[in-house]
Amino acid sequence: MSVLRPFKATDMFKFNNINLDIWTETYGIGFYLSYLSRWPDLCSVQEAPSGRMMGYVIGKAEGSNTEWHGHVTAITVAPEYRRLGLARKMMGLLEMVSDEIYKGFFVDLYVRCGNSVAIDMYEGMGYSVYRRVREYYGNIGLGKGGQDEEDAFGAFSHADV
Amino acid sequence: MVLMFEEAYKQEPSNEELGMQTFFANARAGHWKSAQQIATKMYKQFQEDRYLYWSVMSAVLQANDPATPAAMRTILYKLAHRIITSSPTPSYQSNDRFHLHLSILRELELYDDAHKLLDSDVGKAICSTSLSCNEIRRDIWRKRGMIVDEGKLATRRILDKHDRNWLEFLSILDANFSYFSSSDGSPPSHVEGLEQVEKTQELFTRIAEEDGPKDRSAALALLELEKRARNHGISKDPKRLVTLMQDYFTRVGDKACCFEDLKPYLTLEENDLTRWTSFLRAVPASFTTPPELQRLINSHKLLRCNLTQLELSVEAETARATLYIEQYLEGLKLGLNLLPTELQYADDLALLAANTLVTLWKFTSDEQYLFNAVTLLEFALTRSKQSFQSRLTLIRLYRLLGAPSLALDHYRAMGVKQVQNDTLSHFLLSRASTFSLASIGDLTLVTECLESTQIYLSNSQETADFIVRAFQGERYSQIPEFIIFEEQLDNSLQRDIVKMEHLRMRLTHEQITSDVIDMELIELKFIFDRTHHDNRDFDIMSNYQPKISSDTFSQTNLLGMNESHGWLKSFLKVYIRAFQQGSDLDDSVEEKLLIGDRPKQSFGADSRPPLRQRLAEALSEEELAELTQDERLFVQFARALAEWLEPYHDYTRPPPSLVLAEAAKQTELKTGYPLKGVDLAVLDRSSSPLKKDEEPPAVVEPPEQVSRFFETLKGRFAETLKNSSPVQSLHVATLIQEAFLLFTVETLRFKATALVKANKFGALVASFKTIRSDAAAVLRDISTELVTQSEVVATAESRKAFVDACATVTARGIDIDFTLNVAKKVTDARKKVIGGVGKGIGRVCSTYAN
C-alpha cells in the first residue's frame, strides 16, 4: 500500500516525518540537488496512499572499471511505516537501475555497526560485510556504543538481479 | 556576469568552453531566451547533440516562465518540438531526453505521437526501468483515454513482475469503474463493468492470500474496490465493507500504519458503524507483546475517530484520558529493553491522552487539562527521548500556557536543520513577538529568526548551480523541478512572516532612526509585491481527534489563530505606510541609490496600481479574518494615524533632489568617491526644505481611533487579567507597545523644531504630546501590572496548585516530584516572560516618552 515514485526537489518540503527521526540526517539543499542533478533515477520515494512520504532512498553510481557500481548513500523509512518491506522495495529498484541503466557490477552501502536492525535487513537481502570503516558516522550522542556508534560496515551485494 | 560572458563569446565564437560558460551564466540567471539562442548557435557550430537538447530545454523553460504570455507559450513549445524532432539521434537514446520529448508532446496534446514513441520496443523498455518516464507514460495514456489499457498493463505488472506499486492497483480500479461513467462521451457499460469488477475482486483476493503478511497492497485494494462499488451503487453485499475492514484490521492491526490506511473508509452509516465499533471494542485491553499493544492502540485511534457529539462529554473524555494513561504506563513495561534511540511502543497512548486532554481544555477552558498534558508528555520524553511528536505537542501547549522558553528548548532539541527551517520554524516563531524579550536586551528569539533565514541564502547561492549541473549531465527531468523548488523557497511565506516578526522585535530593541526606517522600507516594499508560497508543514503533528472536531494543530493555535497571507499583508501595509511617511526616500531616490542592488521586480509589476494606492486600500474580509481582535484595533489605529499625518509628511518631506544631494555628499565623505548615477549639476541646490510653493496643510485634530486607542486597549488589557494563561495579556500589552513605537516612527520627523515653526505645526506637535503622554501612562501601568504579576506567578503556592491540578496523571502513577519539577519549570518560564515583557515595556516607554 505504497506508491514508489521518483524523488523530486520539492520533496524536501515534505519529508519532516522521516527526517525528524534521529537516524535520519537532514543535509543542506546542495546535498539532495547534487544527487538529483546526476543520478535522479537512483533516488526514489515510497509514498502512502494519503500522499504522505513514508521513506526514500538516495543513491549514486561510482568507481572505475570493474569497480563501477551503485552505492546507497541514504535510505530511510519514517518510524510509523517501518517493518512493511518498504526499504527492501526501494533497494530492489535501486539495484535494478544500477544494473540495467548504469551497468554497475555491484551495489554497496555503509551501515552503522550498532544498527543491528538495518544490518539484519541487508543481510536478508543478500548483502555481506566486507570491511569496517573507523569513525565514518557522526556521533549521535548514544554514549555507550563505543566504536559501534561511529564505525560503519561496508556491505556489498553482487547484482544478481 | 552574464553580459561579460556574452561579450567574450561574441569575440571568440569558436571557443566551445566559453560558449558553454555563457550558456550556464544565462541558465543561472534564468534568461532562457538568450540561453536558447546560445545553445542553438553552439549546436550549429559544434554539432554536438546535447546543445540541441539544451536549446529545446531552454525553449520549454522560457515557455513555462510565468512572465510568458499564453500565446507565446504554445509557440515556444512548438519551437521546442520542431527542434527535438530535427535531432539526428532519436530522443530515446537517453531516458531524460526521452522524458523531455514526451513532455513536449504532452503539452502540445500530440498524444498519438507520444503513444507511438511509447509503444515502440525501446519506449516500453525505457518505461520498465525509468520511474519518471513511466510516470509521464501513465499521464499520457490517461489523457488519451487509455484507461482500460492502463488497467490491463497494471494487471500484467502485478501478476508477471510481482509489482505491488499502489498505483498499479489504482489503475485497475480506475479502469474497472470507467465502465460506469461516460466521461469520454461513450455510454456507460454496466454489464462489462460488473464483469470486470468481479474479476478484479477475485484477482485481488487471490493476491492478498498469496502475499499474506508480506504485502498488504491487495488487501487494501479490496477495500478501495468495495468503497467505489458502493459509490456506484453496485455493491452486492451491504455487509462487505465492514467485513473487509475487520479483515484488514486483523491482518494489519499490529502495524502502526493500519490507522492511516483505514481512515478513508471510516465514514460509515449507522449499522455499519455499530458493527465496526463493536468489533474494535472487542480488541483485548490487556497485552503482553508489542503487536498486541499496537492493535489496542490502533483500535483506540479508530474508535476515537468516529466518536459522536454525544460521546464527547467531559466525563467520557476524562474517562478516556484516564484509560489511555493507565494503558500507557502499562505499555512502557514492554519497552524496558529498548535502546534510548528507539521510540517506545506505548508512545502513541501518551499522545492519545494528550489529544483527549486538549479536547477537555477546549470544552472547559480550564488550564488544569493542559498542565496534565504537559506533565504526561514530559514524562513520556524521559522514556522515549526521540519522540518528536511529543515535543511538537509540547511546543504547542507551552506556548498556549505562556511558557515560551520551554517551547524553545523542545524546538531546539528536535534539531531542526536546513530546509526544515522553512517548513517547521512556524512552531517556534509564529507571533513570536508576543514573547520577545528583545526590549530588555534578550535577543534569543531575534537570533532564532535570523538563523532560520540562512536557508534562503543557501538557496539563492546554490540551487542555480545545480540547474547548471543538470544541464551538464543532461538530466532534463530535474530542471523544471529545481526551478519550482528554488522559486517556492525563495518566495516562502514563512520567510516573510519571520521577517515581519523580526522587525516587530527589532523595533523594541534598537533605537528608531531614519536609517532603520529607510532600510526596512526598501525591504518591506519588495516583500509586499511577492507572490508567496506557503511551505509550512502543518501535517507533521499527529492528530487523533474525532472526525467531527478540529484537528489538534488547529485546536492549539496560539490565540486561536494561524497567520497566513492576509496577516502578512495587513502588517506589511501598516509598516510600509508608516515607514514611507517617516522616510525621505521616494521611488526616484530609491532607484538612484540602489543601482544594481535592487531586487528583481516581480512579474506583473507594470499592470498594478501604484503602491500608495494599494497601501491605502482597506483590508478585505479574508485578510481581517486572520487578525485577532486586538490586532485589528492595532491595524485600524495605524491606518487612522497614517491617514491623519500623510499630508504633513508629504508637505514637509524634502524634494528628491535635496535628498540625493545629501546622500551624494555623505557617500563622498565616507568612500572618497562620488555617488554613481547622480548628476549633481542637474540638482537644484537652491531649493530649501523650508520654503515651499503652496501653503502648509492646516492642522486638524487627531481621529478618535488614534486619540482613544491607548485608553481602549488599556481596558482590553484589564479584561485579560482574568485569564489564567498570560498569553492574552502579553498579546495586548505587546500590541500597545507596538502602537507606541509606530507612533514614534510616524512623529520622528516632527522633532525638528525649525520645521515645525516654519510650517505652523505647533498645534500638531501639541496633539502628539498629549497622545504620547497618554500612551506612556498606559504603558507604565501595564508594565507595573505585568511585573507585579511576574512576582506572584512562580511561588510555592502556584507550584502546589499546578501539582494539585495534575491529579489525573499523578493518580495514575506519574511521580509527584516529577510533576513538581514540571510545575517549577512552567511557572518559572511564565515568570520570565511576563516579567521580561513588563520590564521591557517600561524601558521602551522611558526611551521614547519624550
Side-chain angles (χ1 to χ4, degrees), chain B residues 227-246:
Chain B
K227 179 179 176 195
R228 292 191 192 196
R230 277 189 162 201
N231 288 349
H232 283 91
I234 60 163
S235 167
K236 292 199 187 140
D237 179 2
K239 293 189 155 191
R240 189 170 159 78
L241 184 67
V242 175
T243 308
L244 283 173
M245 286 166 71
Q246 293 170 347

Side-chain angles (χ1 to χ4, degrees), chain B residues 519-588:
Chain B
M519 267 178 47
E520 289 292 354
L521 175 61
I522 294 169
E523 280 199 53
L524 293 182
K525 274 163 67 174
F526 174 61
I527 293 173
F528 191 69
D529 286 332
R530 259 187 169 137
T531 308
H532 289 101
H533 290 280
D534 194 351
N535 307 322
R536 294 176 295 175
D537 190 347
F538 299 129
D539 295 331
I540 183 66
M541 204 167 116
S542 54
N543 169 48
Y544 303 126
Q545 298 299 37
K547 270 197 311 202
I548 55 170
S549 108
S550 324
D551 60 281
T552 326
F553 187 85
S554 306
Q555 291 178 325
T556 54
N557 277 330
L558 189 72
L559 301 160
M561 306 286 263
N562 192 24
E563 73 281 12
S564 187
H565 303 266
W567 180 92
L568 181 62
K569 201 109 216 173
S570 311
F571 275 87
L572 280 172
K573 278 183 176 168
V574 163
Y575 278 100
I576 294 175
R577 221 166 163 202
F579 287 155
Q580 221 174 30
Q581 291 184 350
S583 171
D584 288 346
L585 294 180
D586 76 352
D587 276 343
S588 62

